[in-house]
Amino acid sequence: MRALRILLIMAVVLGGVFVAVDRVALHFAESEAEGRITFGDAEAGSTDVSIKGFPFLTQAAASELDRVDVTVKDIRAGAAGRSIRISEIQARLDRVTLGAGYTSATAARATGTALISYAALTEAADDGVTVGYGGDGKVKVTGTVKIPLLGQTLTRSVLSTVTLVDGDTVRVRADEVPGEGIPGLEDLVRTKTDFEREIGGLPAGLELQKIEVAPGGLEVSVTGSDVRLAG
């Protein structure tokens, strides 16, 4: 009985040591991964990585992680002559294969949401144009136009529909522009309020699926396979 009791105590102690070592290794791996995740030529402000599953050490030994949750904030990439900023991406990565020496990582499957804030959308619009939430699935676009024939400057706000075009481009188009009986006014206003911007900076293999207008910004569903994250 004494020997059995000693064996049980040793098993508990060794189990506790293994769990502690496993958690330390997990924390170290997460910290390392946060500095290695890349988005092509885009620059990212901050990255948070959470590796799921237990034990971590057996996953690392097999060079494949069951699931990794990633949050990346402030992703900047050049698009259409301007810098379009993805405010945040939250993604779930399944079956992440690690390369030799853990210098590369590829997710077999990825799903998530990219958020483009209205401040970021305003940055991507023409000069003098602001974009905000318009309610009921619409955005409110405000711009100032100059009418050459009258020598006047008018500021107009319109409610616009946002759509995803060709799987990588955000299109903002006014539902209706008041003409006020001035020839050419609608076209002038639309030169300011209507625009398209390509979303760049996503890792290879990650695609945009659907876009929704929300109070906090544009929420874009993303999904992909064989998504390369580093290396």
Side-chain angles (χ1 to χ4, degrees), residues 89-166:
I89 288 182
Q90 293 184 348
R92 167 177 171 164
L93 314 173
D94 293 305
R95 302 198 313 278
V96 179
T97 302
L98 306 175
Y102 308 120
T103 56
S104 64
T106 303
R109 180 70 177 168
T111 57
T113 301
L115 175 67
I116 301 175
S117 69
Y118 292 117
L121 200 58
T122 296
E123 291 174 10
D126 288 341
D127 293 337
V129 174
T130 59
V131 185
Y133 182 57
D136 197 26
K138 305 289 183 179
V139 297
K140 181 180 180 181
V141 184
T142 302
T144 300
V145 296
K146 184 176 182 179
I147 306 175
L149 294 178
L150 301 179
Q152 295 181 346
T153 299
L154 299 177
T155 299
R156 290 292 180 267
S157 295
V158 296
L159 291 179
S160 301
T161 297
V162 181
T163 54
L164 187 63
V165 182
D166 298 329

Side-chain angles (χ1 to χ4, degrees), residues 35-198:
R36 294 190 181 188
I37 289 180
T38 60
F39 283 75
D41 296 329
E43 297 181 359
S46 64
T47 303
D48 181 73
V49 175
S50 178
I51 300 173
K52 306 299 182 181
F54 179 82
F56 162 73
L57 289 173
T58 57
Q59 297 181 69
S63 295
E64 183 174 293
L65 307 177
D66 296 336
R67 172 183 168 183
V68 180
D69 291 346
V70 176
T71 299
V72 185
K73 295 185 177 181
D74 199 21
I75 303 165
R76 293 180 177 270
R82 288 180 177 270
S83 175
I84 187 166
R85 177 165 53 90
I86 301 174
S87 306
E88 180 179 281
I89 288 182
Q90 293 184 348
R92 167 177 171 164
L93 314 173
D94 293 305
R95 302 198 313 278
V96 179
T97 302
L98 306 175
Y102 308 120
T103 56
S104 64
T106 303
R109 180 70 177 168
T111 57
T113 301
L115 175 67
I116 301 175
S117 69
Y118 292 117
L121 200 58
T122 296
E123 291 174 10
D126 288 341
D127 293 337
V129 174
T130 59
V131 185
Y133 182 57
D136 197 26
K138 305 289 183 179
V139 297
K140 181 180 180 181
V141 184
T142 302
T144 300
V145 296
K146 184 176 182 179
I147 306 175
L149 294 178
L150 301 179
Q152 295 181 346
T153 299
L154 299 177
T155 299
R156 290 292 180 267
S157 295
V158 296
L159 291 179
S160 301
T161 297
V162 181
T163 54
L164 187 63
V165 182
D166 298 329
D168 63 358
T169 301
V170 172
R171 173 181 291 169
V172 179
R173 181 171 174 79
D175 295 345
E176 184 179 354
V177 177
E180 299 179 352
I182 303 175
L185 177 60
E186 179 176 349
D187 291 339
L188 282 173
V189 173
R190 286 192 180 276
T191 60
K192 281 288 189 178
T193 61
D194 294 0
F195 61 94
E196 294 183 3
R197 293 291 183 267
E198 180 182 349

Side-chain angles (χ1 to χ4, degrees), residues 194-211:
D194 294 0
F195 61 94
E196 294 183 3
R197 293 291 183 267
E198 180 182 349
I199 298 179
L202 295 177
L206 202 59
E207 300 177 351
L208 309 178
Q209 294 293 317
K210 183 177 66 173
I211 190 167

